[in-house]
Every structure is written in C-alpha cells, then in structure tokens.
Amino acid sequence: MNSDVQIAGDPLAVPHLMPPPAAHPATVAEFAGLARTLAADRASWAHLVRYDAVSRWYHRLRTGPGYEVWLLSWVPGQGSGLHDHGRSSGVLTVVQGELTEAATTASGAVRRRLAAGDQRVFAPGYAHEVLNDSLEPAVSLHVYFPGLTEMPMHRPQAAWPQCAPGHVDGSRARTALQGGS
C-alpha cells in the first residue's frame, strides 16, 4: 500500500500547498508577543522617546492590518485618568521604569505595580487608570487591536487601594500569558 507522500508527493516541496504565513498577529498571545518583540528592540524606539512635563508624550510607532502600536512616556506624577479603549483590545507593556495600573473589577478596585517587562492584556470596555507614581520617568508600549479610535474617560475612583512595590494582592503583576494573574 502506498503512503500519502508517495501518492501526493511531499507537501513541503510544493509551496502552494502550504498555508500562507500570517500577515499580522491574530490572537491575544500573538499581539502580546509582538509587544514583547518590539519592547526588546530598544534600538527601534529609544531614540524617539521624549519627556514632556506638561502632558504625556506619545508617538505612533507602527501600524499594521487591524492594529497599531504606540510608545508613551510618563514623567513622575503623570497619569492617564480613568478611561477605556472603546472597541479596542490592548496590550500594555512597560519598557522602562515603573507604572501603576488602577482598575475596577468584579471583586472591587485593584492597583497593580508594573515594572519593566510586565504586561497587561485588556479587552474592549476595560476601564483603568495608568500613572507614574514613582520618582523616575517611565516608558510604555501599547498595542491596540483594532486600532484605537476612541478613549472614553470615566468618573475618577474616590479612593484606590494601596499597592506594595511589585505586588498585587501579594503576587507579582504579570499577564496570564506569562503565568501570573
């Protein structure tokens, strides 16, 4: 009896039988991977960073089919205000310094201290506030899919809970993709 390879030939030898490579990320894990790859390539973005004492500085670093990548800088004391990203999902990656994320979840308000390398993945409608409450400037990279078209602001939370450096409810702040919460 003949094998499939003997009958049809080696599919790897016939490129048109192979599925085409993905043109761009298509899953949350792929977008998080894109963010990690770009964050690791400091030479592609470090020279672009500016710090503005009056308002957060931002620069669109890249666009692709259905997504865009932004680079933001944060001097001490700067924050985003409580907001969501409309119909966009996103990946926030801290590339330098530390940021704090405050959000309201089903179990109440939480604060997460995010150090360089930490990521947060969020779905459409997820409301949070990001701020630099450290003494050093910070830089973050944000991937939005689809591209960001709105950023509705929300009424500020009266009092956010405190968070210890590097911890959220006693555990390191990491995305589920990195094995944390």
Side-chain angles (χ1 to χ4, degrees):
M1 183 161 186
N2 294 330
S3 71
D4 289 344
V5 171
Q6 290 172 323
I7 295 169
D10 183 358
L12 298 177
V14 186
H16 71 277
L17 296 177
M18 295 296 297
H24 61 85
T27 66
V28 172
E30 290 172 351
F31 280 108
L34 170 65
R36 281 192 301 275
T37 298
L38 292 172
D41 185 12
R42 292 183 72 86
S44 71
W45 56 262
H47 67 282
L48 299 169
V49 175
R50 304 289 180 265
Y51 297 98
D52 185 332
V54 177
S55 64
R56 283 180 301 127
W57 172 90
Y58 50 91
H59 172 77
R60 187 164 52 193
L61 190 61
R62 174 191 272 190
T63 60
Y67 73 93
E68 57 187 16
V69 180
W70 290 85
L71 189 63
L72 285 77
S73 71
W74 313 74
V75 298
Q78 285 181 336
S80 65
L82 185 61
H83 67 282
D84 69 57
H85 302 91
R87 63 186 190 93
S88 298
S89 295
V91 179
L92 177 158
T93 304
V94 178
V95 296
Q96 180 181 310
E98 283 189 351
L99 293 171
T100 299
E101 180 197 40
T104 303
T105 67
S107 58
V110 296
R111 284 175 67 97
R112 296 175 180 91
R113 181 76 38 94
L114 305 171
D118 287 344
Q119 289 188 303
R120 293 292 300 152
V121 175
F122 50 87
Y126 175 74
H128 67 159
E129 178 177 13
V130 178
L131 59 141
N132 181 353
D133 57 4
S134 75
L135 298 176
E136 300 293 327
V139 178
S140 57
L141 187 138
H142 303 244
V143 179
Y144 299 108
F145 47 97
L148 194 61
T149 58
E150 61 180 322
M151 198 172 105
M153 300 304 290
H154 296 257
R155 185 178 313 153
Q157 180 77 20
W160 293 108
Q162 296 298 311
C163 68
H167 290 80
V168 179
D169 302 328
S171 62
R172 188 80 178 134
R174 296 275 182 189
T175 65
L177 297 170
Q178 294 176 317
S181 57

